[in-house]
Amino acid sequence: MSLAIDEEFLTQTLIDLVQIDSRNPSLTPDGPGEAAVGKYIANTLAGLGLDVVTHTLGPDRVNVVGILRGTGGGRSLLLNGHMDTVGVEGMAEPFSGTIRDSRLYGRGSQDMKGSLGAMIAAMKALVDAKTPLAGDVMITVVADEEYLSDGTADIVKHYTADAAIVTEPTDLAIGRAHRGFMWYEVETTGRAAHGSRYDEGIDANIRMGRFLAELDKLEQALRQRSPHPLTGPPSLHAPIIKGGTETSTYSARCVLQVERRTSPGESSPQVTQELQDIIDKLAGEDPTFKATVRLVTERPPFEIEADADIVRAVEMASTRLLGEAPRHAGLPFWSDAALLSAAGIDTILLGPTGHGLHAAEEWVDLSSVLDLAHILADTCINFSGPR
Ligand SMILES: [Zn+2]
């Protein structure tokens, strides 16, 4: 069985969502946050008959959770999407919601209000069908994914489920993996002295140069490692370096930021040790080489097995709708799927087609949004359906 989607409702909901500005204030200082769009979604879900709870995370920052209660004994499914968007610099029509050639334009249309519209329309389809599910279906629309993921970090404190679908854009492929990232600070310590006093000064900047030369070798070695089949190899880069105070003084301190992108299966102790090994090698060669490495931020990588039940349930729904099995994909970006997965919930990503994430022109393909709504509704039946 395939459930009917109210297409008019879906399109209007999506237009309304894009027309409500929800730029993340942590990224753009005049961004209004998620309060207004959250209120719209809470009202819409309550209108459909779901149990709705709004969690306030801070001024104008909210998560909204809608629960369609099952009759009991079935598996629960959580649909997750973020309400915040990035900024609108250079955009001609950031909040128009204009439709041309089956594309809906505006900031957040693909990332990810198209997905929110599809999730809400899928809930309406389940309600309209009057076929009670055995398990609960939860829709969690969250704040702050574009910055620190405070929204989903809060969701996993209050809710759990047997499986989750994060509806970030995937061109309707099943997103089964993405890389994680770690931010490090490496500091070399020297000794300040007048620029003429080579006998007293120890140059922290030149010592950081030695570290960078070794880091360059590690960077090349990472990409020789056997790549993860879905995400490719791990990688690193050195985005920021700061050292020294003035021209005629030996630099006493140099600080380097390193971003390391991690493959599924890599962990911070191992990655930290790779950087510590460079420091130990250089210190062994020269006792005046002094450096430390510190892990500043860590976001885990994400992966789910190809034969997980939630993968199967989505494959079944997607194949029935589109006539062929969906592609399994690794995604270039980090997502909230990693947080849900780390909380013990079997998670995949599945979202629409579009263009211009974080760019000056953004659109979502409306037919892929409709397909997504169908696949989500049918997956709810497959996974949490009547016993
Ligand atoms: Zn997104």
Side-chain angles (χ1 to χ4, degrees):
M1 154 175 105
S2 191
L3 294 183
I5 298 294
D6 184 339
E7 210 174 325
E8 204 175 314
F9 169 85
L10 169 56
T11 306
Q12 189 57 51
T13 301
L14 175 49
I15 291 169
D16 292 346
L17 290 171
V18 170
Q19 288 180 346
I20 302 172
D21 180 0
S22 60
R23 285 171 298 141
N24 187 324
S26 299
L27 294 172
T28 48
D30 61 336
E34 300 85 1
V37 77
K39 191 172 178 194
Y40 172 89
I41 294 172
N43 287 340
T44 305
L45 294 175
L48 295 175
L50 274 64
D51 294 345
V52 177
V53 183
T54 298
H55 298 260
T56 301
L57 308 177
D60 299 319
R61 312 305 301 270
V62 298
N63 285 341
V64 174
V65 177
I67 303 179
L68 186 60
R69 301 266 173 217
T71 54
R75 293 181 297 188
S76 55
L77 182 59
L78 188 156
L79 308 181
N80 175 285
H82 64 84
M83 295 181 282
D84 59 318
T85 74
V86 295
V88 297
E89 290 74 26
M91 294 189 82
E93 43 175 4
F95 307 114
S96 74
T98 303
I99 297 171
R100 290 191 298 271
D101 300 330
S102 183
R103 294 171 173 179
L104 189 140
Y105 287 81
R107 175 55 82 226
S109 55
Q110 187 193 16
D111 186 17
M112 53 183 291
K113 290 175 174 178
S115 308
L116 300 182
M119 287 157 64
I120 295 166
M123 291 295 118
K124 182 169 190 295
L126 291 165
V127 171
D128 289 349
K130 297 189 171 67
T131 312
L133 301 177
D136 292 345
V137 175
M138 269 170 277
I139 170 168
T140 63
V141 295
V142 300
D144 199 46
E145 193 276 343
E146 298 286 5
Y147 186 61
L148 288 179
S149 286
D150 286 347
T152 295
D154 193 68
I155 290 292
V156 297
K157 287 185 204 158
H158 301 287
Y159 302 90
T160 189
D162 292 305
I165 301 174
V166 175
T167 53
E168 292 276 8
T170 67
D171 292 337
L172 296 177
I174 296 181
R176 273 187 39 226
H178 62 63
R179 298 194 295 173
F181 63 88
M182 295 172 192
W183 290 347
Y184 285 96
E185 194 170 273
V186 176
E187 180 174 340
T188 50
T189 312
R191 187 194 298 136
H194 186 271
S196 65
R197 296 302 303 268
Y198 61 85
D199 53 331
E200 285 184 4
I202 296 176
D203 191 325
N205 289 352
I206 286 183
R207 278 157 186 75
M208 186 60 87
R210 295 177 196 166
F211 182 86
L212 281 168
E214 293 296 322
L215 194 67
D216 187 19
K217 291 180 200 163
L218 174 60
E219 191 271 334
Q220 292 171 49
L222 290 180
R223 281 179 289 112
Q224 302 308 317
R225 289 184 190 167
S226 64
H228 184 279
L230 292 173
T231 67
S235 62
L236 68 79
H237 64 124
I240 302 172
I241 183 166
K242 283 180 185 157
T245 51
E246 59 192 4
T247 307
S248 64
T249 300
Y250 273 77
S251 164
R253 181 169 180 261
C254 184
V255 178
L256 175 75
Q257 315 291 333
V258 176
E259 183 182 66
R260 173 72 153 75
R261 294 276 164 165
T262 54
S263 290
E266 289 192 307
S267 65
S268 57
Q270 162 234 328
V271 172
T272 305
Q273 190 60 47
E274 289 172 2
L275 299 176
Q276 186 62 49
D277 286 347
I278 294 177
I279 291 172
D280 293 347
K281 173 176 184 272
L282 294 171
E285 290 168 5
D286 175 0
T288 70
F289 183 90
K290 290 195 166 47
T292 55
V293 56
R294 186 168 69 88
L295 178 61
V296 179
T297 296
E298 177 176 7
R299 291 283 182 272
F302 152 74
E303 182 175 27
I304 185 170
E305 317 81 72
D307 62 350
D309 286 354
I310 184 62
V311 175
R312 289 272 164 79
V314 170
E315 272 181 334
M316 208 191 303
S318 180
T319 305
R320 188 166 44 207
L321 182 73
L322 302 174
E324 58 181 357
R327 197 165 52 85
H328 289 197
L331 300 162
F333 49 79
W334 190 86
S335 82
D336 280 354
L339 298 181
L340 295 164
S341 175
I345 304 172
D346 277 0
T347 303
I348 63 148
L349 294 112
L350 179 79
T353 301
H355 180 77
L357 272 78
H358 302 204
E361 184 178 80
E362 180 178 351
W363 52 265
V364 69
D365 173 66
L366 282 174
S367 67
S368 74
V369 173
L370 181 61
D371 288 344
L372 177 63
H374 275 290
I375 296 167
L376 291 175
D378 291 353
T379 298
C380 292
I381 305 266
N382 295 343
F383 192 81
S384 307
R387 279 167 297 163

